[in-house]
Amino acid sequence: MNLRIYFPDRDAITDRYGRKLGLRLECFNSVDGSSRLVVLFGWLRFVCSNGLVIGETKVEIRERHGQSLDLSEISDRIHSAITAVKADRERMKNWQEQPVAISDVADWVNKHLSARWGKKAAARVYHICDAGKDVELTEPFAKSEATEKPVKFLDPVPGQPVKAQTKYDVVQAMSFVASRRNNAEERTEWQASISLLADALRVCKTRPRIPAIDERAPTLF
């Protein structure tokens, strides 16, 4: 079971590019007991269907689904998660004001992201940040850093600038890759790890520049 509830526009966020992020409540579980009950709040970037989970908005019931599962506590825990959503807004606003250099992104990808997500996913994130395009590894077993692996460029990522300017741009590149994991539990785990991984990315002192329209990757619409 995968249930998604989309909140009204009044709860949405508009980023520095004029793209809307909508608040979404998501719940998934397996009635055969093969997975835990998970309820979480996340942000959906409509232009590219990126999902992002930040802060303490994830509610995970560790007991397996069954007759003994007590659901009475869920409403209180959801209320606490809603409170955490307010902090999400502030963090995303701060990310948009934190400029990054692509050289620092490359170092972070090879040291931090590769260790957590693996070199294949890390390479995709790097090239989305460096060129605004997703990639396919042509030699996935080549012994090299994630940023140096041979790749074939694919289509531009909707809503992504050609060159990442801020930590927010890097977060969206991560969200694009994480949101396309096929396994629901793994996808949620990756989305929820984005915020912590982003904390390890060095921020520059220069003021972020908003790219002109023609410097952004094309949208889906």
Side-chain angles (χ1 to χ4, degrees), residues 59-89:
V59 177
E60 184 173 0
I61 308 299
R62 297 192 176 277
E63 296 81 4
R64 300 290 181 177
H65 186 107
Q67 292 182 350
S68 61
L69 182 59
D70 180 11
L71 302 180
S72 60
E73 64 176 301
I74 288 185
S75 60
D76 289 338
R77 295 175 68 178
I78 287 180
H79 183 271
S80 298
I82 290 177
T83 302
V85 164
K86 299 176 182 178
D88 286 0
R89 297 174 183 272

Side-chain angles (χ1 to χ4, degrees), residues 47-199:
V47 69
C48 47
S49 299
N50 286 3
L52 178 62
V53 179
I54 310 176
E56 303 299 325
T57 60
K58 181 179 177 182
V59 177
E60 184 173 0
I61 308 299
R62 297 192 176 277
E63 296 81 4
R64 300 290 181 177
H65 186 107
Q67 292 182 350
S68 61
L69 182 59
D70 180 11
L71 302 180
S72 60
E73 64 176 301
I74 288 185
S75 60
D76 289 338
R77 295 175 68 178
I78 287 180
H79 183 271
S80 298
I82 290 177
T83 302
V85 164
K86 299 176 182 178
D88 286 0
R89 297 174 183 272
E90 189 63 29
R91 181 170 294 188
M92 281 190 282
K93 178 182 177 181
N94 291 337
W95 282 339
Q96 294 179 69
E97 299 299 326
Q98 297 176 346
V100 296
I102 198 63
S103 57
D104 291 328
V105 173
D107 185 64
W108 167 81
V109 161
N110 290 328
K111 289 181 179 178
H112 297 277
L113 192 58
S114 294
R116 184 69 178 264
W117 286 9
K119 290 186 177 182
K120 179 180 179 180
R124 292 178 63 195
V125 170
Y126 171 72
H127 288 290
I128 293 172
C129 291
D130 188 46
K133 296 181 179 181
D134 199 2
V135 296
E136 178 182 302
L137 272 64
T138 56
E139 298 178 35
F141 299 107
K143 294 183 178 180
S144 57
E145 298 282 13
T147 56
E148 300 298 328
K149 283 187 174 294
V151 298
K152 177 178 72 174
F153 283 93
L154 305 176
D155 294 334
V157 173
Q160 194 73 12
V162 173
K163 188 81 69 173
Q165 303 280 334
T166 67
K167 185 175 285 192
Y168 177 83
D169 296 334
V170 177
V171 164
Q172 289 301 330
M174 296 169 67
S175 179
F176 179 85
V177 173
S179 298
R180 280 146 185 81
R181 305 299 295 180
N182 292 325
N183 181 278
E185 287 189 276
E186 183 180 52
R187 180 172 65 248
T188 302
E189 181 183 344
W190 281 36
Q191 290 171 336
S193 70
I194 289 174
S195 180
L196 182 62
L197 285 165
D199 288 342

